[in-house]
Amino acid sequence: MPAPVGIPTPGPKPSRTAAVDERALVSWIEAGVSMTARWRSANGRPAPTRIEVVSDSLTADDANKMASQGIAMLWHGDFHNARQILNALDRRIGAGKKSTGSPADQFYRHRQSRSHRARILGLLLIPLAPGPVVPLRRAPDIREAAAEAYGNIGEPSVASLHELVGAIGADEWRRNGVHVNALQGRIHPHYGTFFPTRSEYVDLVAAAALPSDTLAFDVGTGTGVLTAVLALSPTRMRRQWLTGLIKKVHTASRGTYGSRRINAEPQTA
């Protein structure tokens, strides 16, 4: 098994100079030695203050108890086992109680529930070595995904496994593209942008009557999906018209295409 990621420090506490940003460092005790590594968070989450090293012997129940107490768990076991623990934690959190009250109250409780879920799942940590690589058994190649999320990683670091899994998924969307019905094509989103099919807003824009077919302003482009919808609007209108015509003909012909075929031999009376 690869050696754990971390920088040994001589004293019981990691030595830090004024030139080091303390908010971007995490420290933990391993085999009686204090270790320090750079904290990585693409969404700006603060570094955990209490970390304990865990491995494959950790159960999902124990992980849930530690997370509930605010203890972060630095994984030094098999990568796939860490994914299983993360999924088990997610199941234990559940969807929460069904909220009631005004729409504003329901929205507030929903946001609180999502924040709680992100905080709990973010406490399972993974080591990152320069490259970057995950120095664990059966770890995937994360170089492109980590570069999109964290930039250059030239020193031992620690990140949330939940966030890293999201970066890996985003990298796959970037390479393979995401199908958008309104475009009848694919969008290749960068990491950190809203998912192009996250809600119905794409279909709303696609169905809206445009005041102009020649001029549009796109402010704050993310994936560029709305720009593509607006740019392809005339084509989309023709496709919708043709689709409607085909459906009409299909209905009029009793659910068949073309003329009905005669499969039986004609018989005389």
Side-chain angles (χ1 to χ4, degrees):
M1 177 179 174
V5 170
I7 304 173
T9 54
K13 293 183 180 180
S15 58
R16 300 173 181 174
T17 63
V20 176
D21 184 3
E22 294 187 357
R23 293 173 299 176
L25 293 176
V26 290
S27 60
W28 66 95
I29 303 297
E30 185 174 345
V33 179
S34 181
M35 313 289 285
T36 299
R38 180 68 59 186
W39 170 246
R40 304 283 177 176
S41 178
N43 57 15
R45 284 192 170 275
T49 57
R50 182 180 175 186
I51 299 176
E52 293 189 12
V53 177
V54 296
S55 60
D56 297 323
S57 61
L58 181 72
T59 66
D61 288 336
D62 289 339
N64 189 47
K65 290 178 183 177
M66 293 176 68
S68 299
Q69 298 172 11
I71 302 174
M73 297 155 279
L74 179 58
W75 191 266
H76 279 176
D78 182 88
F79 183 86
H80 285 263
N81 290 346
R83 291 287 303 269
Q84 292 179 357
I85 290 292
L86 186 67
N87 293 335
L89 279 175
D90 197 10
R91 290 193 298 270
R92 279 161 173 75
I93 297 172
K97 296 181 180 179
K98 188 175 181 180
S99 59
T100 57
S102 67
D105 292 336
Q106 294 181 37
F107 177 77
Y108 174 76
R109 292 192 181 95
H110 172 74
R111 296 296 298 173
Q112 289 291 100
S113 174
R114 297 293 295 180
S115 176
H116 172 73
R117 175 180 177 273
R119 181 180 63 83
I120 294 297
L121 297 182
L123 290 175
L124 185 59
L125 311 181
I126 209 80
L128 300 176
V133 296
V134 176
L136 302 176
R137 294 190 306 270
R138 296 197 293 171
D141 185 346
I142 65 159
R143 286 173 293 181
E144 292 186 7
E148 284 279 335
Y150 308 114
N152 180 47
I153 296 180
E155 58 186 327
S157 303
V158 170
S160 159
L161 175 60
H162 184 239
E163 185 176 274
L164 181 62
V165 168
I168 293 173
D171 180 59
E172 293 177 356
W173 293 329
R174 174 68 179 161
R175 287 185 284 105
N176 301 326
V178 180
H179 181 78
V180 179
N181 288 330
L183 295 174
Q184 290 301 300
R186 291 180 176 272
I187 287 289
H188 295 261
H190 286 277
Y191 179 80
T193 59
F194 284 105
F195 203 59
T197 57
R198 185 171 180 174
S199 63
E200 296 79 11
Y201 72 93
V202 176
D203 292 331
L204 289 175
V205 172
L210 300 179
S212 172
D213 290 334
T214 59
L215 179 64
F217 294 94
D218 190 349
V219 180
T221 297
T223 62
V225 62
L226 296 185
T227 301
V229 169
L230 292 173
L232 297 179
S233 180
T235 303
R236 174 181 54 81
M237 295 296 289
R238 288 193 293 271
R239 286 176 179 170
Q240 287 183 346
W241 173 82
L242 184 58
T243 300
L245 180 62
I246 292 174
K247 288 181 178 179
K248 261 172 116 175
V249 173
H250 187 252
T251 302
S253 62
R254 293 174 292 177
T256 62
Y257 291 101
S259 302
R260 291 180 176 273
R261 295 182 178 179
I262 299 174
N263 298 318
E265 291 290 335
Q267 298 179 359
T268 57

